[in-house]
Amino acid sequence: MGIEKHVMRLQEPNTKKRKFFISSKHLYRLLETDVSYKTFVETNIIWSRLRENIDYHFYEQHDTYNLSICAVQAILILENTEKSWRFFNELSDLINNGFNR
């Protein structure tokens, strides 16, 4: 399944503007990493240089982080696997095509 199925257009909490996000839980499942979800979140989101409430925000209702497209790209590069680069390229193509599906 491609990454485009997981892109959501949501209202960003601070600016109230609608932006594109991907859930951290969806990204974790897509990447099929060999670490726990907790470790994935800690290393790729919490401890990283991503900016809280700009690059990501916590969505309490679903107990997940909504990651901006830029944050997703950064995480995919950091993962540095064949699968992460495939998703990175898919996401880049989506961006280049203006998110037309």
Side-chain angles (χ1 to χ4, degrees):
M1 178 183 289
I3 200 164
E4 70 277 355
K5 301 281 187 207
H6 299 281
V7 176
M8 308 173 288
R9 190 165 187 184
L10 304 171
Q11 190 175 37
E12 201 266 338
N14 292 329
T15 64
K16 306 298 184 209
K17 293 181 180 178
R18 297 186 68 71
K19 294 184 179 180
F20 293 104
F21 293 94
I22 295 179
S23 161
S24 59
K25 286 183 179 179
H26 290 171
L27 184 59
Y28 173 76
R29 283 189 221 117
L30 278 172
L31 291 174
E32 299 175 343
T33 65
D34 58 353
V35 299
S36 70
Y37 175 68
K38 180 182 177 190
T39 302
F40 176 81
V41 166
E42 287 174 347
T43 56
N44 289 314
I45 301 170
I46 305 299
W47 296 339
S48 72
R49 302 190 98 178
L50 296 176
R51 302 165 295 171
E52 186 174 9
N53 296 320
I54 296 172
D55 297 322
Y56 69 91
H57 63 271
F58 187 69
Y59 187 50
E60 288 183 44
Q61 193 172 7
H62 287 98
D63 192 34
T64 189
Y65 290 89
N66 287 332
L67 304 164
S68 72
I69 297 304
C70 295
V72 172
Q73 287 183 304
I75 291 169
L76 291 172
I77 290 169
L78 290 171
E79 285 292 313
N80 197 26
T81 64
E82 283 293 320
K83 189 172 270 193
S84 70
W85 280 104
R86 182 173 52 110
F87 290 134
F88 177 88
N89 290 330
E90 284 181 25
L91 192 53
S92 294
D93 291 344
L94 274 176
I95 294 167
N96 287 331
N97 293 323
F99 285 92
N100 292 330
R101 296 180 190 175

